[in-house]
Amino acid sequence: DAGVHSKAWYAATCDRKMAEDALYRSNKDGSFLIRKSSGQDSRQPYTLVVFYNRRVYNIPIRFIESTRQYALGREKSGEERFDSVAEIVENHQHTSLVLIDSQNNTKDSTKLKHIVRVS
């Protein structure tokens, strides 16, 4: 259990478009939610959706089978690993999260500040 089901930031029945629409409506830097990933892949069960600078970022949350931990984005050396998805959220409410724009190859960073609920 990733520790997501009772959390206000977890949008259980939300797809990518609903998540993005909700974040655009919030229009606040650092708005976020976590949704189930679109693909049925056990190695990438969730997606962290973050609004920053009028853009929405969908960041995959990977499940690392060997350590039973979670990590953000593509696998990289020295990456941070967490015991639950809730720990990722708690960590990035205090520590900036790097946002990579793959189209323009630019980097921004923000903290997770505003929980967005999908209605």
Side-chain angles (χ1 to χ4, degrees):
D1 175 51
V4 298
H5 294 289
S6 59
K7 303 293 188 194
W9 40 254
Y10 180 57
T13 57
C14 177
D15 65 18
R16 182 176 182 139
K17 180 165 181 358
M18 285 166 65
E20 290 180 357
D21 289 348
L23 286 167
Y24 280 121
R25 278 196 305 276
S26 79
N27 201 25
K28 283 197 214 117
D29 285 352
S31 294
F32 75 99
L33 58 81
I34 288 184
R35 63 176 176 81
K36 277 197 179 108
S37 289
S38 310
Q40 293 301 308
D41 186 350
S42 60
R43 287 171 312 212
Q44 190 188 305
Y46 303 103
T47 300
L48 169 60
V49 192
V50 182
F51 182 88
Y52 184 77
N53 200 11
R54 300 189 302 281
R55 304 234 7 229
V56 171
Y57 295 83
N58 284 279
I59 304 162
I61 298 175
R62 285 182 297 107
F63 179 65
I64 302 149
E65 190 65 54
S66 59
T67 58
R68 307 206 62 73
Q69 289 175 302
Y70 295 87
L72 288 172
R74 292 199 188 99
E75 194 169 345
K76 49 210 162 295
S77 61
E79 68 186 359
E80 283 187 281
R81 293 182 172 187
F82 300 90
D83 292 327
S84 69
V85 173
E87 274 185 32
I88 293 175
V89 172
E90 284 155 23
N91 178 64
H92 289 297
Q93 285 175 322
H94 307 289
T95 313
S96 285
L97 171 70
V98 176
L99 303 169
I100 299 167
D101 180 339
S102 50
Q103 283 143 351
N104 309 328
N105 218 3
T106 54
K107 282 188 184 177
D108 272 311
S109 65
T110 186
K111 293 180 181 162
L112 302 178
K113 294 184 232 172
H114 311 285
I115 295 170
V116 172
R117 290 179 183 268
V118 180
S119 45

